[in-house]
Amino acid sequence: MGLFVVNCLLFVEVFGSLDVFGTENQAVKLEKEAAAELEAVRTLSGEMLAKLEELSQENAALKERMSALETGISQRMEVITSNLEELRKQVHEEEDKEINSSATNVQEVQDLISKSLKRYAADEVGMPDYALESSGAVVFTIGETEPYTRDTPWMGVFGISIWRSCKTPRLAIQKDNSPGNCWSFTGEKGSLTIQLSAQVFPEYFTLDHIPLELAPNGNASSAPNHFRVLGLDYGNAPKGHVLGNYEFTEFPIQTFAVQQNPYEKFF
């Protein structure tokens, strides 16, 4: 009985000793694995720190580039703003010049129109009329031209008709150009010698008639058609100097240039 007990005790002790050794081996293994994992974590942490440092440097470089870009953009905007302001000033100056120029041009045109109207009011052709009676011209003679007296009223004294009234040739050099207020003569041809108001070298001749709109029934067949102008020396020369032959076609007024330049002044 006593021997059995001892053997059992030994068996228990040996078994217990084997269990302790297995635990120690497991702990060593776990410790090694933990050390390896810690090393891996340290390595990964080092790599992450290195990457963060690289990213930090890149971020700093990017910030520098952004700052330089902002500075360049700011400077460029200042230049553009300055150019725009200068351009705006130039545009305003040009507009002011155009306005002033337009105002000047308008004023010049108005002055020119006013001057032209004044000259036109003085004479429709805007040139001095040396054959105007009111300026000193006179009818020198009508030669052999026979005044038209048919259908004109008789003039009389005490109810007795003595002579027919007729339109005086002075009407040809007077300003009044109303219908019926004209010098008429018998036949198809007539002549009129006018002493001018001053000695001149004639350059133009103007012939006017009532407008067709004012003529009775629009008929102006009695108006002068073909005519010739001669320059005479105080009416003494029998023929004179031919200054031109003309045809009146433009109602109510037409101006003709001298065809033959005169060699002397005419009065």
Side-chain angles (χ1 to χ4, degrees):
M1 180 65 74
L3 180 59
F4 177 76
V5 172
V6 172
N7 288 337
C8 289
L9 291 172
L10 288 172
F11 177 76
V12 172
E13 289 179 358
V14 171
F15 182 80
S17 176
L18 290 174
D19 184 61
V20 171
F21 290 152
T23 302
E24 290 179 353
N25 290 333
Q26 186 69 21
V28 171
K29 182 179 179 180
L30 293 173
E31 183 178 356
K32 289 181 178 179
E33 290 178 355
E37 290 180 357
L38 180 60
E39 184 65 23
V41 170
R42 289 177 178 174
T43 301
L44 182 60
S45 177
E47 291 178 354
M48 291 180 66
L49 289 175
K51 190 64 175 178
L52 287 174
E53 182 65 23
E54 181 180 353
L55 291 175
S56 177
Q57 292 177 357
E58 291 180 356
N59 187 33
L62 183 60
K63 287 183 178 181
E64 291 180 359
R65 291 177 61 187
M66 289 294 294
S67 177
L69 183 60
E70 290 177 355
T71 302
I73 292 175
S74 178
Q75 293 176 351
R76 186 61 179 170
M77 288 299 297
E78 290 178 358
V79 173
I80 292 175
T81 303
S82 177
N83 292 339
L84 287 175
E85 185 65 25
E86 184 66 24
L87 182 61
R88 188 179 295 108
K89 291 180 180 179
Q90 292 179 1
V91 170
H92 289 330
E93 291 177 357
E94 291 296 328
E95 289 178 350
D96 293 339
K97 289 180 180 179
E98 290 181 358
I99 292 174
N100 294 333
S101 177
S102 299
T104 302
N105 292 337
V106 170
Q107 185 62 40
E108 290 178 353
V109 171
Q110 290 178 345
D111 293 342
L112 181 60
I113 292 175
S114 177
K115 184 178 180 180
S116 299
L117 288 175
K118 289 180 180 179
R119 293 180 62 185
Y120 184 82
D123 191 271
E124 286 81 351
V125 296
M127 293 183 289
D129 188 352
Y130 296 100
L132 187 64
E133 185 181 53
S134 60
S135 66
V138 296
V139 175
F140 193 82
T141 179
I142 61 172
E144 298 179 356
T145 303
E146 181 181 352
Y148 182 81
T149 58
R150 190 177 62 179
D151 299 330
T152 57
W154 282 90
M155 303 297 294
V157 178
F158 302 113
I160 301 175
S161 298
I162 301 177
W163 72 90
R164 284 181 179 272
S165 65
C166 62
K167 299 290 186 179
T168 172
R170 292 173 48 202
L171 294 174
I173 60 173
Q174 292 178 356
K175 189 68 175 178
D176 188 2
N177 196 26
S178 56
N181 193 45
C182 58
W183 173 56
S184 56
F185 53 85
T186 303
E188 297 180 351
K189 296 181 180 180
S191 63
L192 182 70
T193 304
I194 302 171
Q195 180 175 320
L196 304 179
S197 59
Q199 280 190 329
V200 295
F201 281 108
E203 297 179 350
Y204 299 94
F205 306 108
T206 298
L207 186 65
D208 61 319
H209 193 269
I210 62 172
L212 293 178
E213 295 80 4
L214 299 181
N217 300 322
N219 183 8
S221 59
S222 61
N225 191 351
H226 295 85
F227 67 98
R228 180 173 59 176
V229 180
L230 295 85
L232 305 177
D233 182 13
Y234 289 92
N236 295 326
K239 294 183 179 181
H241 179 71
V242 178
L243 301 178
N245 294 277
Y246 308 99
E247 181 179 4
F248 183 67
T249 58
E250 299 179 8
F251 287 83
I253 187 169
Q254 187 173 358
T255 299
F256 308 86
V258 171
Q259 296 174 352
Q260 301 292 333
N261 292 325
Y263 54 85
E264 62 180 343
K265 286 185 178 182
F266 297 109
F267 187 75

